[in-house]
Amino acid sequence: MTSRKKRANAIRILTMDAIQKAKSGHPGAPMGMADIAEVLWGDFLKHDPSNPDWCDRDRFVLSNGHGSMLIYSLLHLSGYDLSINDIQNFRQLNSKTPGHPEYGYTPGVETTTGPLGAGISNAVGMAIAEKTLAAQFNREGHEIVDHFTYCFVGDGCLMEGISHEVCSLAGTLKLGKLITFWDDNGISIDGDVKGWFTDNTPERFSAYGWHIISVDGHDAQAIANAIEQAKAVTDKPTMICCKTVIGFGSPNKSGSHDCHGAPLGDDEITATRNFLDWPDETRFAIPEDIYAQWDKKEQGKKDNLNWSEKFSAYQSKYPALAAEFTRRVIEGELPVDFDQKANDYIQLCQSKGESIATRKASQNTITQFAEILPEILGGSADLAGSNLTLWPGAKGIESDAAGNYIFYGVREFGMSGIMNGISLHGGFINYGATFMMFMEYARNAVRMSALMGIQNIFVYTHDSIGQGEDGPTHQPIEQLTNLRTTPNLTTWRPCDATESAVAWKMAVKNQKAPSALIFSRQNLSAINRTNKQVSDIERGGYILTSCEGTPDVILISTGSEVQLALDAAKLLTAQGQKVRVVSMPSTNVFDAQNNDYKETVLPSAVNKRVAIEAAHTDFWRKYVGLQGGVVGINRFGESAPGHVLLEHFNFTVQEIVNTVNTVNAL
């Protein structure tokens, strides 16, 4: 039997060879954490290389994602569909081994990790999903949801503010199946961290309510004992503090930042092979006996089969629960009647014609959809009473693990990162809410959601200067442009209850990408529509009112300004102009329509166009052109009642008329 050290050294060999061939990369972390990884993946991790998506697998997250060759080595050695050629193509175009782990590129990679701290936030989300799913589905003697989340973090992850947000909440929620390994090597890109990171990390995590274990990160038996201890603690997450040497094995560069983010060099690789007692100088060559000991395909199949047998017994005793688990978790499908029930509710909204704030319309929709979708897992960053994300059936998971709502506290960034983890885990449609302005705190996690192409519903209320008295710190200006121009993110800004319900329906159905739903604080008028207009809301933009023949001017608007556009159209019509009003709740969805449809809504022959939205004007130039007009706002707001501010900043019928007249004069 090959020694543990030699199996760990296989990681080190693949790491330094791949990075040297690529002429870039980070050898330090993989080489330093190889011993920890060998114990975890060799003795504890429950997974099936032949079925990377098996629902009851343990999750492994490499939060310090720059150390990507660690996970690529582990996946390759244990038998995933990741060949030695893939390892040799590290950091190359279209390879399965990009510079940082990318979700969807590599079988076995659970999440994209590049921004430090993102991975630990995802891991907390995965652990929440496991605990809540287990509480909802497990029954005595039938534990069909029973897996751990393991996460590697470095000093950089723990310096990032998001780690404080999510690890604090993890302790509060008593996530006993979350086990984190801190690579305590004392080195970052700039050198020894003593100059900028002197936290007492064990005490910090103890204060969060975590279980703390400290070990030598190169002592395999101590690591194994620590994992056993961690698994036995069921009411606290565990932090295993692993004292390591960065770049372990490199005689001249280990222990320093010289091996953090650059290839070791040919001479140092030769010296490292000698130090590790690895006589074969052939690059990327791993002995067959080491491959055989690393291979987890047979064990994975056995574990998967054991689970299948457990699930069969569960099906026999709890057929309805098993069918629901299959739909939600294994197949990831919506209820078969969702479309019909959602459409019925949309029609109800239209017929009722309530003039309410769209945040209230959103709450009404959540209440309705939660009855259809037991997989809904909602939440808010401490503003539930303002963004109206609670509903009568909401139950906080902090008091009932089988609940359906997360009180995230004031943690906008942490909330969004956790949401990514919940989505990646599977089994839930989750949403999280804050004021639109505070999307800024969460921006990176929102981008990561879009980058990975995973479903999340980001609910943002208080969407403009109409927010009012709280002033410019709370009033978004440029944020809509930010969201709309994020690839793979669909943004909706509805104008009334009907559009709000449609936005929610489309977000629920958008299972391969995140959605941002933007809602008002102030009450908005209900809009009269035909059945076709109601149907056309789903196309992102549609004709709300028109005229005989070709319009002289087209008014384009969203959200709270749609009624203003309609009022202006009446005055312009009275003045003898032919006016069309287009409501465009989602520019992203409208842009994806075929050209014929877009031409019917915005005919190219009509170049007199004016956009109206209480947000930055520049975005709208793509629709109105350089000769068109935009009634918007290009400065920060003020503190005053919302209706006062809207008038002060010229969101008035007369301003729209004046703008139209200016455009007509060009």
Side-chain angles (χ1 to χ4, degrees), residues 6-67:
K6 285 186 177 179
R7 291 197 294 274
N9 287 344
I11 298 171
R12 297 182 171 107
I13 295 300
L14 290 174
T15 292
M16 63 185 187
D17 285 351
I19 292 170
Q20 188 65 30
K21 185 174 185 295
K23 297 183 172 56
S24 72
H26 298 76
M31 295 176 73
M33 299 191 80
D35 298 304
I36 309 165
E38 188 276 329
V39 173
L40 176 63
W41 280 64
D43 294 5
F44 292 95
L45 194 73
K46 181 179 67 173
H47 62 120
D48 183 0
S50 302
N51 185 8
D53 297 325
W54 170 36
C55 62
D56 201 44
R57 69 191 182 279
D58 290 337
R59 271 61 169 181
F60 175 78
V61 175
L62 183 69
S63 189
N64 44 343
H66 54 271

Side-chain angles (χ1 to χ4, degrees), residues 546-552 578 580:
S546 200
C547 56
E548 293 290 331
T550 303
D552 296 321
K578 294 191 291 184
R580 172 177 293 181

Side-chain angles (χ1 to χ4, degrees), residues 261-333:
L264 296 183
D266 290 333
D267 291 345
E268 189 64 14
I269 287 175
T270 298
T272 302
R273 279 179 152 82
N274 291 333
F275 181 87
L276 298 176
D277 192 24
W278 193 278
D280 192 344
E281 291 286 331
T282 308
R283 297 292 169 88
F284 300 99
I286 305 296
E288 287 303 317
D289 63 325
I290 294 181
Y291 270 126
Q293 291 176 43
W294 265 107
D295 194 300
K296 293 297 178 182
K297 291 193 291 294
E298 287 305 313
Q299 184 61 53
K301 288 178 182 176
K302 187 183 297 184
D303 290 340
N304 201 332
L305 180 61
N306 288 340
W307 182 86
S308 295
E309 291 172 352
K310 288 171 61 176
F311 189 69
S312 293
Y314 181 79
Q315 278 180 307
S316 297
K317 190 161 185 179
Y318 304 103
L321 277 173
E324 187 70 354
F325 185 88
T326 299
R327 178 187 71 79
R328 282 175 52 179
V329 182
I330 298 175
E331 297 174 350
E333 295 181 350

Side-chain angles (χ1 to χ4, degrees), residues 558-573:
T558 80
S560 51
E561 289 72 62
V562 168
Q563 184 60 57
L564 190 63
L566 290 170
D567 293 342
K570 290 179 182 177
L571 182 55
L572 288 164
T573 300

Side-chain angles (χ1 to χ4, degrees), residues 293-587:
Q293 291 176 43
W294 265 107
D295 194 300
K296 293 297 178 182
K297 291 193 291 294
E298 287 305 313
Q299 184 61 53
K301 288 178 182 176
K302 187 183 297 184
D303 290 340
N304 201 332
L305 180 61
N306 288 340
W307 182 86
S308 295
E309 291 172 352
K310 288 171 61 176
F311 189 69
S312 293
Y314 181 79
Q315 278 180 307
S316 297
K317 190 161 185 179
Y318 304 103
L321 277 173
E324 187 70 354
F325 185 88
T326 299
R327 178 187 71 79
R328 282 175 52 179
V329 182
I330 298 175
E331 297 174 350
E333 295 181 350
L334 295 172
V336 293
D337 58 353
F338 173 74
D339 264 3
Q340 184 57 59
K341 289 184 175 180
N343 289 338
D344 289 346
Y345 178 68
I346 290 165
Q347 289 296 336
L348 178 64
C349 290
Q350 184 61 39
S351 62
K352 287 176 69 174
E354 291 183 294
S355 294
I356 55 177
T358 50
R359 62 171 175 164
K360 178 61 181 176
S362 169
Q363 183 183 46
N364 292 345
T365 306
I366 293 169
T367 301
Q368 188 70 26
F369 283 12
E371 295 181 6
I372 313 169
L373 300 166
E375 56 263 52
I376 279 184
L377 182 61
S380 179
D382 203 52
L383 290 168
S386 292
N387 43 47
L388 303 185
T389 48
L390 287 166
W391 72 99
K395 293 183 292 184
I397 64 169
E398 83 289 343
S399 57
D400 182 355
N404 51 18
Y405 195 87
I406 303 173
F407 292 92
Y408 283 103
V410 188
R411 300 181 177 98
E412 296 89 356
F413 191 9
M415 172 183 73
S416 304
I418 288 169
M419 288 170 63
N420 287 342
I422 293 170
S423 178
L424 289 160
H425 181 280
F428 297 98
I429 295 172
N430 78 130
Y431 70 81
T434 185
F435 286 2
M436 186 178 168
M437 189 62 243
F438 303 135
M439 177 279 294
E440 293 285 358
Y441 282 127
R443 170 64 188 160
N444 182 262
V446 175
R447 185 179 188 271
M448 293 292 284
S449 182
L451 180 64
M452 289 188 280
I454 57 176
Q455 182 175 40
N456 278 312
I457 302 174
F458 300 106
V459 177
Y460 300 130
T461 66
H462 299 60
D463 65 350
S464 72
I465 56 172
Q467 198 273 350
E469 292 89 345
D470 284 333
T473 62
H474 285 54
Q475 295 165 0
I477 302 297
E478 72 276 24
Q479 283 66 38
L480 271 168
T481 296
N482 187 322
L483 293 167
R484 287 168 174 155
T485 55
T486 299
N488 208 37
L489 172 66
T490 300
T491 300
W492 292 83
R493 186 175 185 243
C495 72
D496 68 354
T498 302
E499 285 193 356
S500 297
V502 172
W504 265 105
K505 173 194 170 183
M506 299 301 285
V508 167
K509 295 185 67 173
N510 189 15
Q511 295 181 291
K512 300 297 184 182
S515 302
L517 308 184
I518 316 300
F519 298 119
S520 72
R521 178 194 188 192
Q522 70 272 30
N523 288 345
L524 305 180
S525 300
I527 306 295
N528 292 323
R529 296 178 182 86
T530 65
N531 288 337
K532 184 179 186 308
Q533 287 173 319
V534 172
S535 175
D536 283 345
I537 295 171
E538 293 189 7
R539 308 188 77 162
Y542 63 102
I543 300 169
L544 200 54
T545 66
S546 200
C547 56
E548 293 290 331
T550 303
D552 296 321
V553 65
I554 299 175
L555 305 182
I556 311 167
S557 194
T558 80
S560 51
E561 289 72 62
V562 168
Q563 184 60 57
L564 190 63
L566 290 170
D567 293 342
K570 290 179 182 177
L571 182 55
L572 288 164
T573 300
Q575 294 176 353
Q577 298 199 54
K578 294 191 291 184
V579 184
R580 172 177 293 181
V581 176
V582 171
S583 177
M584 198 174 287
S586 178
T587 60

